[in-house]
């Protein structure tokens, strides 16, 4: 956290900026049909590219240009810089856009929510690539309940029918003739519990979990 009083210089309070804690940039190519290219003897497909900024505390992609990356490169994730000094070096509108997007973090109260979300990743010491994968690997536009209402509930047999058998869980290192079959395990209450378990990715925002149930889950998981 930053004390705003520390940025008080000569009676004027200056906004301080730093880069967000976790930031990954991706060069992404897009292929589009082009009639002009086709008529001029080309294949009719033109490749364009974009720089995409990925920051897990934002949770959405930010389209960037090279000048934006120069600004981000000039600001570290730990050392704060005067916003006025940064805007003298770069286009102020670009600096403001990166601040509004959340790639630049401010010490001002008006940007406290984004700053706190970013600090949460710093405090928990997430591995950057894992944090990005978690934030951007979520399902979007998939309604499991709607799909199941049309195709019935997913089952192991249906998954095998749709996708084939999974790859073997072990690599063969000995002659199959020397293999020894293990006896079938005895059935317990745990087996019945596992067989009745269902995983769902459709979440109801209005539902709540009793504190006692949440406590039980957290104690057993962690």
């Amino acid at each position: 956290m930053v004390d705003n009083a520390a940025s008080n210089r000569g009676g004027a309070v200056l906004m301080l900026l730093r880069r967000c804690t976790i930031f990954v940039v991706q060069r992404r190519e897009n292929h589009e049909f082009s009639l002009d290219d086709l008529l001029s003897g080309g294949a009719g497909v033109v490749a364009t590219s974009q720089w995409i900024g990925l920051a897990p505390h934002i949770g959405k992609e930010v389209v960037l240009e090279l000048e934006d990356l120069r600004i981000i490169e000039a600001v570290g994730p730990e050392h704060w810089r005067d916003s006025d000094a940064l805007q003298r070096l770069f286009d102020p509108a670009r600096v403001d856009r990166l601040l509004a997007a959340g790639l630049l973090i401010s010490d001002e109260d008006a940007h406290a929510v984004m700053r706190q979300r970013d600090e949460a990743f710093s405090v928990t010491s997430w591995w950057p690539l894992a944090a990005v994968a978690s934030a951007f690997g979520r399902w979007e536009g998939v309604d499991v309940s709607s799909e199941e209402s049309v195709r019935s509930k997913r089952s192991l047999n249906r998954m095998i029918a749709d996708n084939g058998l999974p790859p073997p869980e072990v690599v063969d290192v000995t002659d199959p003739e020397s293999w020894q079959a293990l006896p079938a395990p005895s059935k317990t209450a745990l087996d019945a519990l596992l067989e009745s378990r269902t995983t769902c990715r459709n979440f109801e925002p209005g539902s709540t979990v009793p504190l006692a149930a949440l406590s039980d889950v957290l104690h057993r998981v962690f």
Side-chain angles (χ1 to χ4, degrees):
M1 298 296 292
V2 174
D3 184 357
N4 281 342
S7 61
N8 192 315
R9 302 179 182 178
V13 177
L14 301 177
M15 179 171 62
L16 300 180
L17 298 175
R18 64 169 174 82
R19 192 178 76 224
C20 59
T21 301
I22 300 178
F23 171 70
V24 174
V25 62
Q26 176 190 10
R27 182 68 166 174
R28 183 179 301 169
E29 288 195 356
N30 303 307
H31 295 84
E32 299 176 350
F33 171 73
S34 171
L35 180 61
D36 291 340
D37 181 76
L38 183 64
L39 295 177
S40 61
V45 178
V46 176
T48 60
S49 59
Q50 290 178 313
W51 291 102
I52 304 297
L54 305 173
H57 73 288
I58 301 174
K60 62 181 181 179
E61 299 178 352
V62 181
V63 179
L64 301 170
E65 298 178 356
L66 285 177
E67 188 62 22
D68 297 322
L69 295 176
R70 294 188 183 96
I71 297 174
I72 294 173
E73 185 181 20
V75 186
E78 298 177 357
H79 302 291
W80 298 80
R81 292 195 58 174
D82 291 344
S83 59
D84 288 353
L86 197 63
Q87 290 181 343
R88 285 195 295 269
L89 294 174
F90 302 99
D91 179 7
R94 286 186 180 274
V95 175
D96 291 341
R97 189 177 80 88
L98 294 176
L99 175 60
L103 295 180
L104 292 181
I105 304 298
S106 165
D107 68 329
E108 289 191 338
D109 292 341
H111 303 95
V113 173
M114 190 65 72
R115 182 174 64 250
Q116 291 165 2
R117 287 169 57 179
D118 176 72
E119 288 172 348
F121 284 93
S122 175
V123 172
T124 53
S125 301
W126 270 71
W127 182 44
L129 294 182
V132 171
S134 175
F136 292 93
R138 301 168 182 160
W139 282 5
E140 291 185 5
V142 178
D143 190 331
V144 177
S145 299
S146 176
E147 179 183 351
E148 288 183 348
S149 68
V150 176
R151 302 193 59 191
S152 74
K153 195 173 185 63
R154 299 186 72 186
S155 65
L156 179 60
N157 290 335
R158 206 190 90 196
M159 292 174 63
I160 293 176
D162 291 344
N163 306 301
L165 290 170
E169 66 277 9
V170 296
V171 178
D172 297 343
V173 293
T174 60
D175 186 348
E177 295 182 357
S178 66
W179 293 359
Q180 181 174 347
L182 296 176
S186 57
K187 290 288 185 177
T188 67
L190 178 61
D191 293 282
L193 178 63
L194 292 176
E195 290 174 358
S196 65
R197 178 180 178 274
T198 298
T199 299
C200 179
R201 285 179 176 263
N202 269 29
F203 302 101
E204 176 54 58
S207 298
T208 59
V209 177
L211 179 60
L214 175 63
S215 177
D216 289 344
V217 171
L218 293 179
H219 275 292
R220 284 164 172 75
V221 172
F222 295 106

